[in-house]
Every structure is written in C-alpha cells, then in structure tokens.
Amino acid sequence: MTKTFPGVKALSDVSFEIKKNTVHALIGENGAGKSTMMKVLFGIYQPDEGHISLRNEPYAVNNPRMALSKGVSMIPQEISPVNNLSVSSNIFLGKEFKYGPSFVNQKRIDKEAEKLLKELEIDIDPRASMADLSIANAQLIAIATAISDNSEIIIMDEPSSALTEKESNQLISIIKRLQKSRGLTVIYISHKLDELFAVADNYTVLRDGSSIKSGSMADVDKADIINMMVGRTMDEFFHKDPTVPGDTILSVKNLSRGKFFRNVSFDLRAGEILGFAGLVGAGRTEVMEALFGYTKSDSGVVFLHGIECRFNSPMDAIKSRIGFVTEDRKASGIFPELSIKD
C-alpha cells in the first residue's frame, strides 16, 4: 500500500495481514502512517498503489458507507458525536428504526440502545444528551455505535486516549468478550504499550510510512517494540531532575461547587508540578474550571501570592498569569476555523 500527499509520502509499500477473530495492534510513533493506513481501509482515502483483500476477495471502497456495508467500521481518533441528539439516537444514527417509511420509532431506538449498553456493561443512560457526556463516555458510545453496525472488523484508532486505567480495562474486557460472542476482529492503534500487550494477539510496526515487522505479541517485549518503532534501543525513557520547590504561590481552601466537588484544598509551590488523579466524574476538571473562572464556585477562597482573589472570568485568571490547557482541546481549547497565528 502506497499513499502520497503533496510533499509527503505517508505510506510506502506497507504490507501486513490480519487473522480472523484476533486483535491486531498497529504500532508506530506519531507520523508513522497508522491513521493514514486506517483511513485507506475505511474508504476515506484512496490508495495510489497496492491492493487489499478481505476474506480472499478484492476489497475496494470509495467511502465509509461502502466499508460499513462490507462489515468494516472505524472509531476515529477524533470522534464527532451529534451533541444535540440523545445517546441512543447517536448510536443508531443513519440506521434508525421506523414506523413505516417516514416516522422514527424513538421508543425502539432507546430500548435497543439500552440493551446494547447493558451487553457492553457501559453504565450510561441511552436517553441522556450527548452534550452532557464527558469525552471518555463519548468514546465509549462511539465504541457501542461501531458494535451496533454488526461489523466483523472494527478499526480502533487511539480508543483509550481519553479513558482512565479502569475504563481502559473495561474496554479491553469488552473487546475480549465480543471476540468470544461475535467473532470480532479488531485493528487496534494505541501509544500505550502496556495496553497493547494486554489486548493484542499480533502486531505490525510502522516507521516513517513503511512496515518494519509483523508478528505475535507473545514473541516480543516492550524493548523490542520500541526498538522497531524508533530504529534504536532506548536506554532511558524519562529522567526527571530533582527539584526544590519554593514558597507557596497558590493556595486553595475549601473550594466547593454544588454536586461537582466539595471542600477541595491544596497548595501549589513555585517550581512544583502538582498532579490531580481520580476517576472520570471525580471532579478534577470541574475544580480547574472553577479555579480558572470558567465556572463559579459556591464557597471557598483562593490566595495567589498570599493575596485573596476571585476570578469571575477566564480573562481575570489570564491577567493574573494563569493559563489553562483544556481537556477537550478541539472543542474548548482552540478556534479551529482561525489560523494558527490568530
């Protein structure tokens, strides 16, 4: 398989094969060609050279609908839910149950979605609005949508990037269960090597748009995979120099906001990296949004350099030299229709 864009050869003579009812990991650094390869398989891109066969028959698709008709679906790295519809309507979008030719049978859509989510052990109300879901839960609904297509092969491009470890383990158990119950075959892309070793049966490593090697995950370890990915051995992955934090510059006392978080207190010192951990819904994002002035807290005080302050808007926080990298970069961190400069 070869695919060239202006000035860039994204895929160069890539070859691999996938066995039925297996999880096949497609591994590589950013820019290795993984997503391009998957978009070719799903009919988003057309290859310049090469061919694909499915069940020993020629496979050529010009668009995603053709791919779906042949039993191939894809969960992209950046999902695009229809936020003004319910969870169930998103799952069955384009394949709605109807009364006659014109009227949507919403009751049956809700019932079938509830049945599917229960089978997948995803605890989300099918009648909830997609707009109210976290990124992690929206990702789980994208997975349920692919399952609802009755696909034989599902391409999962970074499906766990927004998931906690617990949710990633839930995803792995869903995949394993569907392998047994439905004979599902999965092409799995992830940068989390521990996750790949937990879920995948076989692998293909891409580097700079070329296929380096394929084989069984049981025959390699993390060092082997990394060596194939980067073309050299990695003796040290990350080294953090010891630091001596300075004085407290930010102090939060008993910050509360309705049902989202209660009595949150912490101190941040100069030169320090302070980590916040917790499951989805624990309130981490909500605390930071309140601290940044995006939402208003009900009670509690914030001290910056020893002076009590209250941010009524993000602009107040920015004027105090506080920045915020949002959880959903695309929806609330940038203006994608503007230039990079703007």
Side-chain angles (χ1 to χ4, degrees):
M1 189 61 56
T2 297
K3 178 65 179 176
T4 303
F5 298 103
V8 179
K9 199 165 192 177
L11 298 173
S12 180
D13 198 25
V14 171
S15 299
F16 60 93
E17 60 182 38
I18 297 168
K19 296 179 181 177
K20 180 179 173 63
N21 199 21
T22 62
V23 177
H24 194 101
L26 198 62
I27 309 171
E29 293 187 284
N30 288 334
K34 307 183 299 297
S35 292
T36 300
M37 184 70 238
M38 296 304 98
K39 287 177 180 178
V40 169
L41 287 178
F42 197 50
I44 298 172
Y45 295 154
Q46 300 305 305
D48 300 327
E49 299 174 27
H51 67 276
I52 306 168
S53 61
L54 177 64
R55 308 179 199 96
N56 296 317
E57 297 288 337
Y59 173 88
V61 292
N62 296 321
N63 55 61
R65 187 170 287 278
M66 286 182 66
L68 287 169
S69 71
K70 293 180 180 291
V72 178
S73 66
M74 177 176 173
I75 303 168
Q77 190 169 351
E78 287 191 6
I79 58 174
S80 300
V82 184
N83 282 327
N84 60 323
L85 295 181
S86 68
V87 167
S88 60
S89 294
N90 268 267
I91 292 174
F92 290 102
L93 189 65
K95 47 185 186 288
E96 294 86 355
F97 300 102
K98 296 180 180 180
Y99 294 114
S102 305
F103 296 97
V104 172
N105 187 343
Q106 190 63 46
K107 282 188 176 180
R108 187 178 174 193
I109 289 173
D110 291 342
K111 186 176 179 181
E112 293 296 328
E114 188 173 23
K115 181 179 173 183
L116 177 63
L117 293 174
K118 187 175 181 180
E119 178 191 351
L120 300 178
E121 297 180 10
I122 297 174
D123 186 19
I124 297 173
D125 183 357
R127 296 161 191 83
S129 170
M130 282 297 298
D132 295 333
L133 265 56
S134 66
I135 301 171
N137 282 337
Q139 186 70 267
L140 292 175
I141 295 306
I143 293 163
T145 302
I147 300 302
S148 74
D149 291 324
N150 290 318
S151 300
E152 184 181 356
I153 299 172
I154 297 181
I155 301 162
M156 296 186 176
D157 193 353
E158 298 282 356
S160 65
S161 58
L163 305 183
T164 63
E165 184 177 354
K166 181 181 178 181
E167 290 163 331
S168 295
N169 290 336
Q170 179 188 4
L171 171 62
I172 291 170
S173 68
I174 289 171
I175 292 170
K176 295 291 187 185
R177 199 161 59 249
L178 290 172
Q179 276 187 285
K180 291 180 180 178
S181 64
R182 301 194 181 195
L184 186 68
T185 302
V186 176
I187 303 173
Y188 200 96
I189 299 174
S190 176
H191 287 102
K192 301 177 182 178
L193 293 185
D194 288 337
E195 184 175 287
L196 291 177
F197 277 96
V199 71
D201 302 294
N202 302 305
Y203 72 89
T204 293
V205 174
L206 300 184
R207 186 171 75 234
D208 299 329
S210 300
S211 46
I212 302 302
K213 189 177 179 181
S214 296
S216 169
M217 292 296 286
D219 296 334
V220 292
D221 57 24
K222 285 168 67 173
D224 296 327
I225 294 293
I226 293 166
N227 190 4
M228 287 184 270
M229 284 171 59
V230 302
R232 65 185 188 280
T233 57
M234 297 288 286
D235 299 321
E236 189 175 81
F237 297 104
F238 179 76
H239 175 72
K240 188 178 188 308
D241 292 324
T243 58
V244 180
D247 296 333
T248 297
I249 56 172
L250 180 70
S251 185
V252 176
K253 303 295 182 185
N254 298 317
L255 202 66
S256 299
R257 179 180 166 231
K259 65 179 181 180
F260 298 103
F261 55 87
R262 296 176 301 279
N263 299 323
V264 174
S265 301
F266 61 89
D267 293 325
L268 176 69
R269 296 177 293 174
E272 179 180 60
I273 297 172
L274 177 62
F276 279 73
L279 298 177
V280 169
R284 298 162 302 170
T285 299
E286 289 78 7
V287 168
M288 298 306 150
E289 287 177 346
L291 186 62
F292 194 61
Y294 177 68
T295 58
K296 287 183 171 57
S297 56
D298 301 327
S299 60
V301 290
V302 177
F303 296 92
L304 185 62
H305 297 292
I307 300 172
E308 185 175 343
C309 56
R310 187 171 187 86
F311 303 136
N312 294 313
S313 70
M315 188 56 69
D316 290 343
I318 291 168
K319 287 177 180 177
S320 296
R321 299 178 65 199
I322 295 177
F324 188 19
V325 181
T326 63
E327 181 183 23
D328 190 340
R329 319 277 197 258
K330 187 176 181 182
S332 57
I334 61 168
F335 296 97
E337 67 275 14
L338 298 181
S339 70
I340 291 173
K341 177 185 173 184
D342 291 335

